[in-house]
Amino acid sequence: MVKPPCGILWHGRPADDVLAALDSTPNGLSSLEAARRLAVSGANQLKEALRVSPLRIFLGQFKNLIVWILIVVGIISGVLGEIVDGIAILAIVVLNAVIGFYQEYNAEKSIASLKKMTAPRAKVRRDGRVASIPATEIVEGDVLELDAGDLVAADARLLKASSLKCVESALTGESDAVTKRAVTLDKDGIALGDRENMVFMGTIVATGQGRAVVVATAMKTEIGRIAGLIEAAGSEEATPLQQKLEAFGRILVGVSVGVVAVLFVLGLLRGMEFFEMFMTSVSLAVAAVPEGLPAVVTVSLALGVQRMARRRALVRKLPSVETLGCTNVICTDKTGTLTVGEMTVRQLHVGGQTYEVTGEGYGPHGEVRLEGESSAPPRAAPLLELATVLIGSNNAHLVLEDGTWKVVGDPTEGALLSVGHKAGGSKERIDLELPKRHEIPFDSDRKRRTVVRQMPDGRLRAFINGAPDMLLPHCTKIYAEGGVRVMTEADRQHIIAQCTTMAEQALRVLGSAYRDVEELTPARLIPEVVERDLVFVGLAGLHDPPRPEAKEAVAKCRRAGIRVVMITGDHPHTAMAIARQLGIASDGDAVIAGPELDKITDEELCRRAATITVYARVTAEHKLRIIRAWQTNAAVVAMTGDGVNDAPAIKQADIGIAMGRSGAEVTKQASDMIIADDNFASIVAAVEEGRGIYDNIRKTLQYLLAGNTGELLLMTFCVVAGLPTPLLPIQLLWINLVTDGLPALCLAIDPIDPDVMKRRPRPRAERITEGGFLSAMFLTGVLTAAISFAVYLYGLENRNVEFARTHAFTTLVFAELLRSFGGRSESKPVWRVSLFSNLNLALVVAASFGLQLWSHHSTTFARFLKTSPVPATDCAVLLAVSALPLIWLELAKVIRLRSRRGLPQ
């Protein structure tokens, strides 16, 4: 009999029975027990499609039509008695396949490692504490802590739920959020979408919070049964640049084959042997067509994103790397991105008094002082009232790890929890004496959170914490030194003035209030019912200092032609104070708050966008409007976000950037890139790397195509002039390997130009072949072909064909190798680019020179390449001649630089 799906086994059982059956507790498992279960059950992940094996990657190198033509030519050569030629051609084909395999295999490994780094995490209770762990380490019996924006990491039975709703479209196809309740369902055969007390792997927590015990993991989950629905998630599409280059490559193939066909016919008409012309034409086609164009892009992107990962920027979608180079506006959050993100409460205002708070970080060390003295009764009473609200409305947890206090949950709540302890409160006591009954989670529209707790006398009290300007209109009373009284207009103005004073000190201000409520039914557990007629208690001013590196990162953006826009939910005065400290805003720049933003049309926002550098008190809808306004003005916009409500703006932006530490899992999965340390400087570093990757791809392609152009022109000159073939098939293949192989790979991973962030962003529509690309490619090819042709003519006139071929062959190889140094920069002369910054290239060129020289003096190697000995003096002369194209091209760079600066030439 087929075992029914796991949900049918659990939704009809009481929570206590489920815990007992799984040998678990409401506080979860111990770390040792979880490790034991993980070893037995395996990782909590769906079976992936079979990875491409190394053998398949290697065999994939032979899927090219030209490669198969070469193999056929090699076999035909052997059959006709040209054994050496046949072996040499097949050896070259295999060697090219080995190099291609090495590049592609390393690229696959790089992308795989990045996928692991961006894998989802989940909050579980282990050893009685809340811990964040990789979702793959979850086992049956674990207790999950669920918050808005989380991806549910396994199938689980709810133990607690507070305003919990989940989007289960991955399972049911319905996009509406489903309300969840921690109840026992006594019906049999309940449909998947109606199991209110279950949450399922792969679904999204839309709102609210919950606690659930895991009943199934990996392939035993509901989504595991239909794993084929997400099979496409593992596939990577080619980037736009790869697609364009593949199309460009097809054009090159067509043009090259056409030219080769003409040369083949022309050679036959001039009386050349059919077999010789056939071999030459095939080899020339291989040399002329850079069949590795897409591979160059793949390797450059893969190695580039690995380098970006080392700078804390994790790329999830390869096309975003290309877009990074075009980015000219970065819309960034303030808290934790431009600032340190480790907030500390510096001031408390309660009972008409303002208190100073000492101590750093989230630890309990420090005290609350009034006029330099520690608070004491009766001053401690108002503080204790405020501390009760700060802790009572809090969901964060403070843990001591390696001697440092850290927060599990929201950093802001962690800071409020810490100051609550300093002010005399205790989370353990409040959780014990005032048990939590309900919750209305924070959202970006209300900008407040409410937790309903049961008082010792049985009454229910709602504790509310949030933005003062959003909280104050709902307050009718105030907690004063003499107790609770009706709030007057003077009280309101005093609170507003105090908020402004704190904000001008770059403090983030939050307000606290409470209200006694009657018994709440699910229908009455809404903000309109609970969050009214509140008693205002006090204010907390949080200090979140700017990151030391953020100011320089902003300055770097300015030099690079990138506009930085701050978008935050903070008070306008707080936001502007930080923006000025960081250099984002100056005296002439404007700040606009959410309510004012609501009053202007989209058209007016588009007109004013360029003058506004700071947006405060914004909602998710506001962020979306801001992004669209910039895009209407033809900007390429990067947008940062951490909450689930940021997802629309992140999707709308050209580059969606999620925060790795504070970001919701849904936001991370929807983003193009994840910043592991939530640091603005890492975003700027990613833009710098993106520009560098694009530059490397461009110069590598120019190097490859210019070399192929030179080879094609040299062969064309000789065939048209009726001269013997200047290069034999095996020599052309050798040039293709030496010049298109390792030196090109070294260029693809060249260090970033230090001046890359001193240039303005490139236009999005700019093609990689624009900006003098084709003219430089053709000029380089003409110069290389010209010197090789001159050497060949000299050899023919003074010696014989073998001598001329050997010298032309050597000249072409030397010229290509030397030109690789000049190819490192399109604008800087070779002497201004340090040789030691790319030692791999220097070593590859040195080794290639050695091989070329050895081929002249090794009998076996000379027979392989069909070369004759070249004396040392001739090698020196050929080296000097080969340097002429490099010298010409570098002098052209100098002339261009001087003309741009307006200096005399």
Side-chain angles (χ1 to χ4, degrees):
M1 181 177 179
V2 179
K3 184 178 179 181
C6 58
I8 295 178
L9 299 176
W10 302 109
H11 69 264
R13 303 177 66 172
D16 290 341
D17 289 357
V18 174
L19 288 169
L22 294 166
D23 196 17
S24 184
T25 70
N27 283 323
L29 304 171
S30 67
S31 296
L32 289 176
E33 175 62 17
R36 186 191 68 79
R37 295 188 184 191
L38 183 64
V40 173
S41 63
N44 175 38
Q45 58 188 11
L46 301 180
K47 288 182 179 178
E48 297 181 352
L50 292 176
R51 292 187 179 277
V52 180
S53 67
L55 178 60
R56 288 188 63 186
I57 294 176
F58 179 73
L59 294 177
Q61 309 305 313
F62 297 91
K63 290 183 178 179
N64 190 292
L65 175 62
I66 295 178
V67 171
W68 278 105
I69 292 175
L70 275 177
I71 292 173
V72 171
V73 170
I75 294 172
I76 292 174
S77 299
V79 171
L80 296 177
E82 299 288 341
I83 304 297
V84 174
D85 271 9
I87 294 175
I89 290 172
L90 294 176
I92 291 292
V93 168
V94 172
L95 192 54
N96 264 312
V98 169
I99 292 175
F101 164 78
Y102 173 78
Q103 294 173 349
E104 190 172 334
Y105 182 66
N106 279 332
E108 287 283 340
K109 288 201 301 182
S110 297
I111 297 300
S113 67
L114 284 176
K115 284 184 177 179
K116 290 181 181 178
M117 295 174 75
T118 59
R121 300 181 68 85
K123 295 187 292 291
V124 300
R125 286 188 169 270
R126 291 273 174 91
D127 303 314
R129 300 184 308 174
V130 177
S132 176
I133 65 170
T136 54
E137 296 180 8
I138 288 173
V139 297
E140 292 181 8
D142 263 328
V143 172
L144 301 175
E145 292 287 342
L146 303 172
D147 289 293
D150 285 351
L151 279 175
V152 180
D155 287 5
R157 166 69 156 82
L158 284 169
L159 304 176
K160 292 182 179 180
S162 177
S163 304
L164 186 66
K165 290 186 177 182
C166 293
V167 177
E168 298 181 340
S169 55
L171 284 174
T172 65
E174 298 295 329
S175 58
D176 293 338
V178 179
T179 301
K180 296 293 181 177
R181 299 183 299 146
V183 296
T184 302
L185 302 177
D186 53 6
K187 295 181 181 178
D188 293 329
I190 297 178
L192 188 67
D194 296 328
R195 296 175 196 167
E196 296 178 315
N197 61 358
M198 298 287 298
V199 290
F200 301 101
M201 182 181 191
T203 60
I204 301 167
V205 179
T207 62
Q209 295 171 321
R211 182 179 298 173
V213 59
V214 174
V215 298
T217 62
M219 296 304 292
K220 292 188 288 185
T221 61
E222 291 290 341
I223 204 168
R225 298 172 54 240
I226 50 175
L229 292 177
I230 62 169
E231 184 177 351
S235 61
E236 292 286 350
E237 295 183 0
T239 72
L241 183 57
Q242 285 173 309
Q243 293 169 351
K244 290 176 185 176
L245 287 175
E246 285 174 3
F248 183 52
R250 287 194 291 270
I251 294 173
L252 280 179
V253 168
V255 172
S256 300
V257 169
V259 172
V260 169
V262 170
L263 293 179
F264 176 74
V265 173
L266 189 58
L268 292 180
L269 294 176
R270 290 188 178 273
M272 295 184 179
E273 293 184 8
F274 177 87
F275 181 72
E276 180 184 354
M277 281 308 303
F278 174 73
M279 296 282 288
T280 301
S281 298
V282 170
S283 301
L284 183 58
V286 175
V289 178
E291 63 270 15
L293 280 183
V296 167
V297 181
T298 301
V299 171
S300 297
L301 289 173
L303 297 180
V305 297
Q306 193 74 358
R307 190 163 57 188
M308 291 172 74
R310 289 195 289 270
R311 298 182 72 174
R312 316 301 294 165
L314 310 179
V315 175
R316 297 190 66 253
K317 300 173 184 176
L318 282 181
S320 64
V321 178
E322 299 168 29
T323 312
L324 278 170
C326 310
T327 302
N328 52 18
V329 175
I330 299 177
C331 295
T332 176
D333 189 18
K334 175 183 73 69
T335 304
T337 306
L338 292 167
T339 59
V340 174
E342 294 182 358
M343 284 174 281
T344 305
V345 176
R346 289 299 186 203
Q347 289 184 17
L348 293 175
H349 184 82
V350 60
Q353 300 283 355
T354 300
Y355 297 82
E356 174 195 1
V357 183
T358 65
E360 298 291 338
Y362 300 111
H365 310 294
E367 56 186 3
V368 181
R369 297 177 176 178
L370 179 65
E371 298 177 352
E373 297 182 3
S374 298
S375 58
R379 295 172 178 168
L383 285 174
L384 187 58
E385 192 73 22
L386 179 57
T388 302
V389 180
L390 294 175
I391 297 174
S393 59
N394 208 301
N395 281 321
H397 302 270
L398 299 178
V399 295
L400 185 63
E401 293 182 5
D402 301 324
T404 302
W405 285 94
K406 297 182 180 179
V407 61
V408 178
D410 184 77
T412 301
E413 291 199 345
L416 297 178
L417 183 58
S418 174
V419 77
H421 283 281
K422 293 176 185 179
S426 167
K427 183 172 177 61
E428 291 75 15
R429 177 179 58 79
I430 288 176
D431 285 343
L432 181 65
E433 297 178 3
L434 311 178
K436 184 176 175 181
R437 290 292 177 255
H438 308 286
E439 178 171 349
I440 304 176
F442 175 90
D443 68 56
S444 59
D445 294 326
R446 291 169 33 251
K447 295 190 184 302
R448 55 186 179 269
R449 174 197 296 277
T450 296
V451 173
V452 180
R453 293 180 179 270
Q454 184 173 334
M455 305 300 286
D457 59 5
R459 291 177 297 134
L460 293 180
R461 176 168 290 183
F463 297 97
I464 303 100
N465 207 56
D469 53 335
M470 304 295 284
L471 185 66
L472 202 54
H474 300 278
C475 296
T476 57
K477 299 182 179 66
I478 186 171
Y479 182 90
E481 193 169 348
V484 177
R485 60 174 173 79
V486 175
M487 178 180 284
T488 66
E489 184 60 28
D491 292 328
R492 292 183 187 277
Q493 294 305 316
H494 173 77
I495 294 168
I496 292 171
Q498 187 62 39
C499 288
T500 302
T501 301
M502 287 182 169
E504 288 174 345
Q505 300 173 43
L507 295 179
R508 181 185 180 192
V509 188
L510 293 175
S512 300
Y514 70 83
R515 178 196 172 210
D516 291 336
V517 295
E518 300 175 358
E519 189 64 39
L520 293 170
T521 62
R524 288 171 48 79
L525 189 62
I526 55 176
E528 292 77 10
V529 173
V530 179
E531 297 172 350
R532 60 183 177 83
D533 299 328
L534 304 178
V535 178
F536 184 85
V537 178
L539 302 170
L542 297 92
H543 177 59
D544 186 13
R547 290 181 181 269
E549 64 275 23
K551 188 171 184 178
E552 173 54 30
V554 171
K556 184 181 285 189
C557 284
R558 285 186 178 274
R559 292 193 296 269
I562 299 172
R563 178 75 177 272
V564 179
V565 178
M566 180 192 290
I567 301 179
T568 178
D570 276 353
H571 191 283
H573 290 295
T574 306
M576 200 62 175
I578 293 291
R580 283 176 175 155
Q581 289 181 33
L582 293 173
I584 293 174
S586 57
D587 293 337
D589 291 325
V591 57
I592 186 170
E596 184 182 350
L597 201 55
D598 287 328
K599 298 175 184 177
I600 65 176
T601 64
D602 290 341
E603 291 75 16
E604 185 178 352
L605 179 59
C606 289
R607 289 195 300 269
R608 296 177 56 184
T611 65
I612 303 171
T613 54
V614 178
Y615 296 86
R617 288 288 188 253
V618 294
T619 64
E621 183 181 355
H622 294 146
K623 293 180 181 180
L624 190 60
R625 289 184 64 199
I626 295 165
I627 298 299
R628 286 174 174 166
W630 275 108
Q631 290 175 329
T632 301
N633 292 330
V636 179
V637 187
M639 171 71 196
T640 71
D642 53 8
V644 65
N645 290 328
D646 292 326
I650 281 183
K651 283 186 174 294
Q652 178 68 35
D654 301 283
I655 294 285
I657 303 173
M659 299 294 103
R661 289 181 178 175
S662 60
E665 286 299 333
V666 172
T667 308
K668 293 178 187 177
Q669 299 305 311
S671 67
D672 301 298
M673 186 168 68
I674 297 173
I675 299 300
D677 56 0
D678 293 12
N679 192 339
F680 181 76
S682 297
I683 299 173
V684 179
V687 173
E688 184 177 6
E689 290 286 350
R691 290 188 177 190
I693 291 170
Y694 187 87
D695 282 357
N696 284 350
I697 292 173
R698 179 181 164 97
K699 65 192 179 188
T700 303
L701 293 180
Q702 191 173 70
Y703 174 74
L704 289 170
L705 293 174
N708 291 336
T709 302
E711 296 165 31
L712 188 60
L713 288 175
L714 174 61
M715 296 294 289
T716 303
F717 292 164
C718 293
V719 173
V720 171
L723 299 175
T725 306
L727 297 171
L728 296 174
I730 189 62
Q731 293 169 345
L732 278 170
L733 291 172
W734 176 256
I735 292 173
N736 211 31
L737 173 66
V738 172
T739 59
D740 290 4
L742 298 179
L745 180 59
C746 294
L747 286 176
I749 58 173
D750 203 33
I752 296 174
D753 183 350
D755 295 335
V756 73
M757 291 297 280
K758 295 179 182 178
R759 307 195 302 255
R760 297 194 65 80
R762 60 182 172 83
R764 169 185 276 176
E766 180 184 288
R767 292 177 297 181
I768 199 167
T769 54
E770 290 183 2
F773 182 97
L774 294 176
S775 59
M777 179 193 79
F778 187 73
L779 174 61
T780 304
V782 168
L783 291 173
T784 306
I787 61 166
S788 302
F789 186 62
V791 169
Y792 184 61
L793 285 180
Y794 175 83
L796 288 177
E797 291 179 5
N798 293 278
R799 294 290 184 87
N800 52 39
V801 174
E802 185 179 5
F803 176 92
R805 281 177 177 159
T806 300
H807 282 60
F809 172 50
T810 302
T811 301
L812 197 55
V813 170
F814 282 179
E816 291 299 306
L817 292 174
L818 289 173
R819 195 172 57 79
S820 66
F821 293 114
R824 294 184 62 192
S825 174
E826 292 186 48
S827 58
K828 293 181 180 178
V830 67
W831 53 86
R832 288 184 55 190
V833 181
S834 174
L835 179 68
F836 299 102
S837 61
N838 194 338
L839 284 176
N840 289 330
L841 179 61
L843 292 173
V844 164
V845 170
S848 300
F849 267 115
L851 282 174
Q852 189 66 27
L853 294 174
W854 181 40
S855 72
H856 301 149
H857 303 286
S858 166
T859 305
T860 303
F861 207 178
R863 286 183 60 199
F864 180 78
L865 292 179
K866 297 190 175 180
T867 58
S868 59
V870 179
T873 53
D874 284 11
C875 283
V877 172
L878 293 178
L879 184 60
V881 171
S882 301
L884 291 176
L886 177 64
I887 294 171
W888 183 289
L889 294 168
E890 298 310 298
L891 288 176
K893 291 179 186 177
V894 174
I895 294 171
R896 284 198 302 271
L897 282 174
R898 289 189 175 182
S899 63
R900 288 173 186 168
R901 296 171 182 169
L903 297 176
Q905 299 179 9

